[in-house]
Amino acid sequence: MRKVAVCVVFPMLAAGLLTGCGISIPADPEGTLERVRDGHLRVGVSTNAPWAETRDGAEPAGIEPDLVRKFAATLPARIQWSEGGEQKLVDELKRGNLDIVLGGLTKDTPWAEKVAVTAPYAEATDEHGETHKHVMATPPGENAFLLELEKFLARQEVVQP
């Protein structure tokens, strides 16, 4: 019983001490959340209807671009859209040139080894009857930004397409 108490108290004590030293947990080593607030949210979009669709000369449409617009409004931030294939967008995310990548990514995405992904925020059943849990990708290590996005997504009601 004593070990459990120590295991629970010590992390809380450590977090309290770190907070008192001006260290914020979770942190963004590259300052993504702070940079995006009242600034620009750089979003990469890969077409995967109905989750995200790119259209010549128009802003992206679909479930995820609509969610990201609502998220940006909470910061508030203006969105800079980039379109491309998943490989290109994930590479840009890893380099720090994008803040979010979307396009119907699912929890079992192979990109999770290279970037951070949100907790699943929606489930959808495909034409084969398989259920998929949907996520968005963010820069690796930018945990305050990831947490802010996850808290937002948790409050949303996403209707299965």
Side-chain angles (χ1 to χ4, degrees):
M1 191 66 125
R2 189 171 289 198
K3 285 184 181 178
V4 172
V6 170
C7 290
V8 171
V9 172
F10 181 71
M12 289 190 300
L13 177 63
L17 291 173
L18 290 173
T19 302
C21 295
I23 298 172
S24 178
I25 299 174
D28 279 350
E30 300 300 323
T32 300
L33 183 58
E34 190 62 33
R35 178 186 47 74
V36 168
R37 286 190 194 278
D38 294 315
H40 289 92
L41 180 64
R42 304 165 306 174
V43 181
V45 182
S46 181
T47 293
N48 185 355
W51 298 96
E53 297 180 63
T54 56
R55 304 174 297 194
D56 289 335
E59 285 194 353
I63 295 167
E64 291 178 335
D66 290 347
L67 285 170
V68 167
R69 284 183 188 92
K70 290 177 187 175
F71 175 61
T74 68
L75 296 172
R78 293 169 300 286
I79 300 174
Q80 293 177 331
W81 300 103
S82 295
E83 300 172 6
E86 288 180 11
Q87 178 73 54
K88 176 188 171 212
L89 296 175
V90 167
D91 288 345
E92 290 299 306
L93 192 63
K94 281 178 33 186
R95 289 185 190 105
N97 297 327
L98 292 174
D99 303 312
I100 299 174
V101 168
L102 48 91
L105 300 175
T106 58
K107 182 181 173 188
D108 58 352
T109 180
W111 304 120
E113 295 176 12
K114 298 181 180 223
V115 297
V117 295
T118 63
Y121 67 89
E123 284 188 8
T125 304
D126 66 18
E127 62 275 5
H128 305 291
E130 296 178 23
T131 300
H132 301 278
K133 296 181 179 190
H134 287 265
V135 299
M136 292 182 189
T138 64
E142 297 300 286
N143 296 323
F145 178 73
L146 176 62
L147 180 61
E148 190 75 14
L149 178 57
E150 286 182 332
K151 289 189 308 188
F152 168 81
L153 291 170
R155 295 188 305 265
Q156 305 309 301
E157 202 169 310
V158 180
V159 178
Q160 179 175 322

